[in-house]
Amino acid sequence: MDRSRSPEERAALVVAQMTLDEKVQETGSMLDATHSRETPPIPRLCVPALRLNNGSAGVSTGGPVQLPATALPAPIGLAATWDPALAWRYGVVEGTETLNEGRNLLEGPDINLARVPVNGRTFEAYGEDPLLAGQISASDIGGIQSKGVIANVKHFAANNQETDRTTIDELIDERTLHEIYLPAFEASVRQGHSGSVMCAKNQVNNAFSCENRELLTDILRGQWGFDGFVVSDFNSCHSTVNCANNGMEFELPSAKFFGPALKNAIAAGTVSLSTVDEHVRRIMATLVRFGVFDRPQTVTPIDAAAGGAVSREIAGRAAVLLKNDAHALPLDAGALHSIALVGPFATAAMTGGGGSSHVKALYTVSPADGIRARVGPGVGVTVDDGSDLTRAAATAAAADVAVVMVGDNEAEGRDRPNLSLSGTQDALVAAVAAANPHTVVVLKSGGPVLMPWLAQVPTVLEAWYPGEEDGTVVSALLFGDVNPAGKLPITFPKAEGDVPANTPAQYPGVNGVASYSEGVFMGYRHYDAHGIEPLFPFGYGLSYTDFRFGPMRTLRVLGQVFAVVTVTNTGARAGTEVVQAYVSHPADSAVPEPPNQLGAFTTVTLAPGETRAVLLHLSPRAFAYWSVPFGRWVVQPGVYRVSVGDSSRSLPLAAPVLMTDGPIP
């Protein structure tokens, strides 16, 4: 308990005093009527309980009884802000409320990329690009851990589908693994310093993730220098010996393969005592590093107003304005007498997706309550759930404006059957639009959806799952109190077959094997390389104001490449723009490359008429590829192109950059 000693020294001292039974009990969770996701404390050694809480969208299930917490907007919406500073604040709420609930580890963020848009957990992660996901994740982790709570980045690695998730064997070539599916985890470890990592349920290249030596030992610890501990996903360890010897430290939901089985393996000589000592030392050192040894673990009230304010602000920044013909939005409350609020997502707040990340919200604001509070008593607001199309159309026809709210209900444990809105929602939008030309569509989805009615409506606003402040957020966006600034972190395709993994062998797999034969051509890389026009491209999003880019220049400082870009707000409203830089490799590249890959991004908020120069840092990785023969990142010499704009398909500025060859970190 000597705080002048390092966490490693203190951990080594306590492990040296532990009995074998005490060591073993620290490697798996208790699970009974009164305990869940926790270890018992060891009072004689001042060892505190490790207490885990689920959550990627706020504090979810922890102990046997789920306590209420702030329901933050869905993580896919956080990614749509493209703003690491907001991700930090998101994490601060998660960390603060984890402590409020008497816990010390939050199982999040979930950063698995959206290889398959129908994945049931698309809402729970950060979209399809490894750079964007990594930067949002590192900042979210920073916010969580700034409160002394251990983050748990998950699911390592390539947990990209819910169908057959406990058994599927994902065959991923080395280059694709390192360029697409590992970089966000690397950023979470090396930049975000995540205190723990959760290994996944699935197999990667013929080995279950929680006993995968290449992932857990060679890459995570060997290449990245990870100094925390690895936690299993629920029931994702399949072998005491393989999990213990290949890099997993802690088992959930109970010590089925660790616990007594681990003690027996030590006795049999199949797992060494030194291996177990190292596992326990890592857990203890992490608990010390985050102050868990040195503070009481008490339950305190959550500041609902503070969490709600952050949830509201981030949800407002997350929304993506997809279409706004003739400046139909924002609405003018003073010019309206009646509003028809129609659809299955118009009746209650959409607080989040289903499964382990679901938050029991402290409170909610329904769409009707939010809009009524904004427009006042002089404007009539009629609500119709859209279950009867004829009635819904009549309700819409009788109003000055119709706001139709449709969406999906993504959940862990199941993938969506397709990208279409379920039930009669497409027909509902068409019926409402036919009845009232002043129709606004508000989407509350966890990922892309098809829009057969798009040409019939002037306006579409993607609000994702807005969280507990749904009604307040959406009304502020509709009436212009908040200017939409979100950009898509995932491509919206025009048709089912346009997605990268479009064969059964790729998804959901054949005979238990999913082949990642698309390689690095995932997400927008696929659409660009094959000349497929998306419905809405990666990085896309409109605003109630307009921005002009240019001029642009590139410069090199101490071997680092920067782009300096001038951005001007040419409209009449203040607004926030996301400036995106993409890198194109030389035409004679040694390996096949997508036409463009995200290399850097930043946000800038400008008053009407304001001009500002922004700086984009393109790290050496932005110009590199993973060399399989050399087993490292390599830059091929040649002339690269850096293009800058406001989406992956709108890049008005470009400049050449000459790169020399060589290995990079």
Side-chain angles (χ1 to χ4, degrees):
M1 299 303 289
D2 181 357
R3 298 189 193 186
S4 68
R5 294 180 181 269
S6 71
E8 289 69 26
E9 288 178 309
R10 294 175 67 182
L13 287 168
V14 75
V15 172
Q17 297 298 316
M18 284 181 170
T19 66
L20 179 57
D21 286 337
E22 288 169 338
K23 292 174 184 176
V24 166
Q25 78 176 12
E26 295 302 307
T27 64
S29 174
M30 295 187 291
L31 182 62
D32 55 38
T34 55
H35 301 91
S36 177
R37 284 184 161 91
E38 63 183 279
T39 60
I42 307 175
R44 74 178 189 87
L45 296 177
C46 302
V47 173
L50 172 62
R51 293 177 176 151
L52 298 83
N53 244 107
N54 223 319
S56 294
V59 179
S60 183
T61 49
V65 178
Q66 184 173 1
L67 301 175
T70 298
L72 294 161
I76 189 76
L78 177 62
T81 70
W82 291 58
D83 191 339
L86 288 179
W88 182 283
R89 294 179 60 197
Y90 193 103
V92 167
V93 172
E94 293 175 300
T96 298
E97 297 187 4
T98 297
L99 288 183
N100 289 148
E101 295 197 356
R103 318 295 284 190
N104 48 47
L105 185 149
L106 182 82
E107 295 172 38
D110 174 354
I111 65 167
N112 294 122
L113 296 184
R115 173 184 183 250
V116 180
V118 295
N119 179 8
R121 299 182 86 166
T122 301
F123 77 92
E124 196 183 325
Y126 299 141
E128 69 189 25
D129 183 78
L131 176 65
L132 176 60
Q135 294 309 298
I136 296 297
S137 176
S139 288
D140 179 57
I141 288 166
I144 294 168
Q145 297 189 162
S146 72
K147 308 310 294 185
V149 169
I150 304 164
N152 182 235
V153 62
K154 63 185 186 183
H155 309 82
F156 190 62
N159 184 185
N160 301 320
Q161 62 187 69
E162 291 300 278
T163 302
D164 299 328
R165 64 175 180 165
T166 63
T167 57
I168 193 72
D169 186 6
E170 298 176 327
L171 300 187
I172 312 172
D173 69 85
E174 182 182 335
R175 180 190 169 210
T176 299
L177 189 64
H178 281 270
E179 289 193 20
I180 303 296
Y181 298 104
L182 295 184
F185 284 99
E186 182 178 2
S188 300
V189 168
R190 302 181 77 168
Q191 183 181 333
H193 305 289
S194 186
S196 67
V197 170
M198 179 178 285
C199 50
K201 292 178 178 289
N202 53 277
Q203 300 180 67
V204 176
N205 295 330
N206 307 310
F208 280 104
S209 296
C210 290
E211 53 191 62
N212 193 312
R213 174 169 286 273
E214 179 188 13
L215 291 176
L216 301 183
T217 300
D218 300 344
I219 295 173
L220 182 62
R221 293 186 174 88
Q223 293 181 18
W224 302 345
F226 175 63
D227 61 359
F229 62 99
V230 174
V231 179
S232 81
D233 200 348
F234 269 35
N235 302 307
S236 57
C237 175
H238 299 273
S239 162
T240 300
V241 174
N242 290 341
C243 288
N245 289 338
N246 291 327
M248 192 189 92
E249 273 84 27
F250 189 84
E251 185 180 10
L252 287 173
S254 62
K256 178 181 178 181
F257 288 97
F258 282 10
L262 184 57
K263 187 176 179 181
N264 292 338
I266 295 170
T270 52
V271 176
S272 70
L273 181 58
S274 63
T275 294
V276 175
D277 284 350
E278 173 62 11
H279 289 344
V280 178
R281 185 202 66 77
R282 282 178 170 271
I283 296 170
M284 295 298 108
T286 306
L287 289 171
V288 172
R289 191 176 301 120
F290 285 86
V292 182
F293 264 76
D294 303 318
R295 66 171 183 256
Q297 299 185 67
T298 56
V299 177
T300 56
I302 289 176
D303 187 336
V310 175
S311 179
R312 183 168 59 248
E313 180 179 352
I314 295 175
R317 281 284 303 277
V320 182
L321 184 61
L322 295 175
K323 185 178 181 181
N324 195 28
D325 287 356
H327 303 287
L329 289 181
L331 300 173
D332 180 359
L336 297 176
H337 300 93
S338 58
I339 299 172
L341 188 55
V342 179
F345 290 82
T347 58
M350 183 55 181
T351 60
S356 59
S357 70
H358 185 73
V359 178
K360 183 179 180 180
L362 287 160
Y363 67 90
T364 61
V365 180
S366 72
D369 286 347
I371 289 176
R372 287 182 177 125
R374 174 60 179 80
V375 300
V379 180
V381 179
T382 303
V383 180
D384 187 300
D385 67 5
S387 58
D388 183 310
L389 298 187
T390 302
R391 185 189 66 209
T395 301
D400 294 337
V401 64
V403 179
V404 57
M405 295 188 174
V406 290
D408 60 29
N409 288 284
E410 289 186 0
E412 177 183 356
R414 67 172 191 267
D415 290 337
R416 292 161 57 193
N418 51 54
L419 291 174
S420 297
L421 292 172
S422 63
T424 60
Q425 291 187 85
D426 285 330
L428 173 66
V429 175
V432 170
N436 190 328
H438 304 293
T439 292
V440 176
V441 176
V442 177
L443 275 174
K444 298 179 185 177
S445 69
V449 298
L450 302 180
M451 304 181 198
W453 36 260
L454 183 61
Q456 299 171 250
V457 299
T459 302
V460 181
L461 179 71
E462 172 62 84
W464 312 107
Y465 301 156
E468 64 189 22
E469 286 273 349
D470 180 327
T472 308
V473 170
V474 173
S475 62
L477 289 158
L478 292 177
F479 291 95
D481 306 323
V482 172
N483 189 350
K487 301 284 186 176
L488 291 180
I490 185 171
T491 304
F492 278 45
K494 284 186 175 181
E496 296 281 351
D498 291 347
V499 301
N502 53 38
T503 68
Q506 291 170 294
Y507 169 81
V510 175
N511 296 325
V513 175
S515 173
Y516 282 47
S517 56
E518 71 278 6
V520 300
F521 297 92
M522 192 274 279
Y524 65 92
R525 294 164 169 83
H526 161 81
Y527 294 87
D528 290 352
H530 296 283
I532 300 171
E533 188 68 25
L535 189 64
F536 297 107
F538 175 81
Y540 171 86
L542 302 174
S543 171
Y544 294 154
T545 191
D546 296 297
F547 299 94
R548 183 180 68 241
F549 286 71
M552 164 194 169
R553 63 190 175 96
T554 59
L555 59 143
R556 196 187 302 270
V557 180
L558 299 175
Q560 301 291 312
V561 176
F562 297 86
V564 182
V565 185
T566 300
V567 185
T568 302
N569 182 346
T570 61
R573 291 174 176 263
T576 298
E577 179 63 294
V578 178
V579 186
Q580 305 165 39
Y582 293 79
V583 175
S584 176
H585 287 238
D588 60 347
S589 176
V591 295
E593 293 284 358
N596 284 302
Q597 299 185 74
L598 184 67
F601 61 90
T602 191
T603 59
V604 59
T605 300
L606 300 172
E610 183 181 2
T611 297
R612 193 180 306 167
V614 299
L615 186 70
L616 295 157
H617 173 218
L618 294 115
S619 76
R621 284 276 186 97
F623 303 92
Y625 71 94
W626 181 265
S627 170
V628 174
F630 291 107
R632 55 176 166 78
W633 292 95
V634 171
V635 173
Q636 178 185 342
V639 177
Y640 293 70
R641 186 180 72 247
V642 174
S643 303
V644 173
D646 59 4
S647 86
S648 62
R649 290 287 179 103
S650 175
L651 300 168
L653 306 177
V657 174
L658 177 63
M659 300 294 293
T660 56
D661 63 341
I664 63 168

